[in-house]
Amino acid sequence: MQRELDGLNAVSGGRIVPVPGGVLIRNATGDLLGAVGITGDTSDNDELAAITGIEAAGLKAVAG
């Protein structure tokens, strides 16, 4: 996955910089339901907040 993210950064001329904070949402059977992204603090804290919220809703969080 990191290689793809590095490629995205390269082909965009550095205009796209992937960072933590976006988290996939899956149900109990593993079906992808969507994603949530949070921003406002450090990238690590944003990701942690997203994971906490998803899991509080009884769903599975999948961070990058």
Side-chain angles (χ1 to χ4, degrees):
M1 178 67 148
Q2 186 59 47
R3 185 173 57 209
E4 290 87 353
L5 296 176
D6 291 342
L8 181 61
N9 179 267
V11 300
S12 71
R15 292 185 315 241
I16 297 174
V17 181
V19 295
V23 181
L24 297 176
I25 304 167
R26 294 191 179 272
N27 64 16
T29 60
D31 297 322
L32 181 62
L33 302 178
V36 64
I38 295 179
T39 186
D41 200 333
T42 66
S43 295
D44 291 337
N45 285 342
D46 293 342
E47 184 175 80
L48 181 60
I51 291 168
T52 301
I54 293 166
E55 291 177 350
L59 299 167
K60 179 175 175 160
V62 182

